[in-house]
Amino acid sequence: QVQLVESGGGLVQVGGSLRLSCAASGSTFMIDAMGWYRQAPGKQRELVATITSAGITNYADSVKGRFTISRDNAKNTVYLQMNSLKPEDTAVYYCNKGGLRGLRWIDYWGQGTQVSVSS
């Protein structure tokens, strides 16, 4: 089992910044990835950014150049620095950790943190 604890959400004005953190505890994997997904009201959950244990990153086109994902492997923590926030970034942001166990990829999710961007 993996437990994910998120922090850093809140209300910010357009153009502002927020930093999300997600600390993982519990099981570890030989190969894993951590990331952030978001879900706006009435919409499906979508990928925001992911980072592997080797530091390879992937971003949604909508956040490239504005968001930066990073991780501290020693602390088993992933961060999402969000700059130049827009109203369309408003959503519940979920931390994800996935890893390979045997031949199966297993995903764990945090409870989510609300990010609201006011215009």
Side-chain angles (χ1 to χ4, degrees):
Q1 287 288 345
V2 172
Q3 294 77 42
L4 301 171
V5 178
E6 301 139 329
S7 61
L11 175 64
V12 65
Q13 291 187 332
V14 168
S17 299
L18 283 174
R19 188 191 194 210
L20 305 183
S21 300
C22 174
S25 61
S27 300
T28 60
F29 303 94
M30 290 296 293
I31 299 172
D32 74 52
M34 297 184 74
W36 294 91
Y37 293 70
R38 66 187 181 187
Q39 188 167 16
K43 295 187 176 181
Q44 290 188 331
R45 190 174 298 188
E46 63 177 6
L47 178 146
V48 176
T50 61
I51 183 167
T52 70
S53 53
I56 299 171
T57 59
N58 180 46
Y59 294 92
D61 288 342
S62 58
V63 306
K64 284 180 180 177
R66 300 188 298 122
F67 292 10
T68 302
I69 190 169
S70 61
R71 67 187 283 174
D72 184 333
N73 289 330
K75 295 181 178 180
N76 215 1
T77 299
V78 64
Y79 306 94
L80 185 69
Q81 178 66 44
M82 304 185 292
N83 299 327
S84 302
L85 283 160
K86 304 175 180 180
E88 51 264 44
D89 295 318
T90 296
V92 177
Y93 283 68
Y94 295 92
C95 178
N96 167 271
K97 180 170 184 176
L100 192 64
R101 180 166 293 144
L103 297 179
R104 294 178 59 201
W105 186 267
I106 301 174
D107 282 300
Y108 295 92
W109 295 91
Q111 292 187 328
T113 184
Q114 177 70 46
V115 172
S116 299
V117 184
S118 64
S119 56

